[in-house]
Structures are given as C-alpha cells and as structure tokens.
Amino acid sequence: MGFLQFLDEDETRIPKKRVSIISAPLADSLSWIGGAEKGPHAILEASQALESFDDELLIDTYLAGFETLPPLNLVGLSSEDACQVICQAVGSELQRERLPVLLGGEHTVTLPAVAACVGKFPDVHVVQIDAHLDLRDQYEDNPLSHACVMRRIHDLAIPFTQVGIRSFSREEWEFVQNKGMRPYLMRDINNNTDWVEEVCSSFQGPVYLTIDMDGLDPTIMPATGTPEPEGLSWLQVTSLLHGLAKSKNIVGMDFVELAPFIGGHHAVYTAAKLIYRTLGYIYQPLVAISQQLG
Ligand SMILES: [Mn+2]
C-alpha cells in the first residue's frame, strides 16, 4: 500500500468500513517543543504493537472496519490552505458515512475538521480534552495558531466543553468569565466523583471529540510540546470517553499534539491505545453482535 496502516491486522477482510483514519501532520505554529508533525506516523507505527483484542472491552474492535487513508500532504502549504485540505478530507469521509479520525499534527487541525462536521451535523458539540483553553484571539500574530483553535470554534458559534484544563492566560480566563463558560479544571475533576456524568448531561447533540495529548498527565504522556503537571490519569480519561461513547453520537474525532521523542515510545503507544480504546467504546455494541453472529 505504500503507507502504514493503523493496526497490524488483515483489515481487508472486513468489507464494510466505518472508520477512516486520516493523518494530518500540520505543525506550523508551535509554542515550545516541536515535533507534532511526526505524531501521525509515530501513532501508526506504535499501533502495530497493539493487541487487536481489547483487554477491557473483550472485543476485536477492528471488526468495526477501519481504513487508514494516505497521509494528507500539507508540506509547503500555508495554515489556511492546509485547513482547506483537511476540511475537504474530513467532509468526504462524512459524506460516505464514515467516522473520521484525524491524527495530528497541531491542534489547529481541529478547526477545519469541526467546520466539515457542522455541515452535516449543525447541532454538533465539541468536547475538548486539553491542559489548555486555547481561547487566545491571536498567538504570535497568528489567528490560526494551535493556541487559538477554540476561540476560532467559538467565533463559528459552535458550542464546546473543555476538560482537563490547568494552564491559561489572564486574557483567556477573563474571556471564560465574561462568556459564562464553565471549563472543567483539573481541580474540579479531582474534587468531584460525578464529573463524567455531569459532562455528559451538560449538553445535547452529536459530539466532535478533540483530544490534545497534553490533557493527559505527563507521567503517562510526556510526548507533548507543553507537558503540564497534574493532568488526567488513564482511568479518568477513559472514563470520560466511555461515558461519552455510551450517551452520545460521536461523529468525528482527533488526537493532536503528540510530539514523539527518542526514549518516549511508551507515550506514543499510550496514544495509539487510547485511540483504539475510544473506537472500542464507540463500536462495542456493534462488534459484540457481529462476534456473536460469528
Ligand atoms: Mn494543549
């Protein structure tokens, strides 16, 4: 095929594909440590080592039917043009009734992906797992910086819920206060046993899920440009993803800001497993039935 597939399985024997994996290695506007353009390839590489049988769900999630698409070629494109390419790619997967799963790349990729989703699902609600609010109006004079992505989504009047937050500017905090937003800060999460239920019942409509890897605690996810201490544990993040998958229609998702480094292969593997586990939560009922039917 000429490019790496997600999982080392003979997926071609699943004729019906429901999931499209799209690599979007955009990394134009880094803040500190770079490398997010290497994220998608690293995730696909690490996925070769995953067990295809999910140890929590006890299902072969790949039976849902995955297809890994050729990586998007964003080399030499401006952020605007790259966003166009991503929007088109996500839009065409939605058109053929697939779940687009975007591998970033920097967080900017979420904007065109959400823009594509809102065309098909006008009431889409974005759930963002992140250490940061990403609500700056501009960052280093760039309105398409990864640090502004949620502000741009706000500009489009698309509602969102932010989870895992533990780092923001004064300007962002004042924006949140003025707009009456209620981000789930880490201290709220750690002091509230019902937080997953609260997140899931706080809005209606289909979900676009964006997971910035720095939402996770740097002890399990050191491979990010800005590793903020005291983040979400594996149990916390998977609890939320399970809750959302059970109660909502997830129509698109991305996993962004993974910045692989030498010696950090556990982090890349964790990202690959998180993606597979999330797909497992989404397709569990369907795969369980197809396994029963043999
Ligand atoms: Mn972040």
Side-chain angles (χ1 to χ4, degrees), residues 107 130-132 134 212 214 226:
H107 213 153
D130 205 320
H132 310 95
D134 291 343
D212 184 327
D214 68 29
T226 45

Side-chain angles (χ1 to χ4, degrees), residues 165-241:
I165 307 299
R166 56 197 189 279
S167 174
F168 37 79
S169 67
R170 172 184 292 278
E171 175 210 353
E172 289 175 294
W173 185 242
E174 287 171 357
F175 185 81
V176 160
Q177 300 294 300
N178 291 338
K179 299 289 177 188
M181 294 172 173
R182 204 210 134 179
Y184 286 80
L185 307 183
M186 276 314 299
R187 61 169 176 271
D188 304 330
I189 291 168
N190 288 329
N191 292 329
N192 179 1
T193 49
D194 299 326
W195 71 277
V196 169
E197 242 166 70
E198 282 181 21
V199 171
C200 293
S201 60
S202 67
F203 65 90
Q204 305 286 317
V207 170
Y208 182 92
L209 196 57
T210 176
I211 303 181
D212 184 327
M213 287 301 156
D214 68 29
L216 276 67
D217 192 82
T219 55
I220 57 166
M221 183 47 67
T224 75
T226 45
E228 289 286 342
E230 198 64 58
L232 292 164
S233 67
W234 178 259
L235 189 63
Q236 285 174 318
V237 77
T238 53
S239 300
L240 175 61
L241 295 171

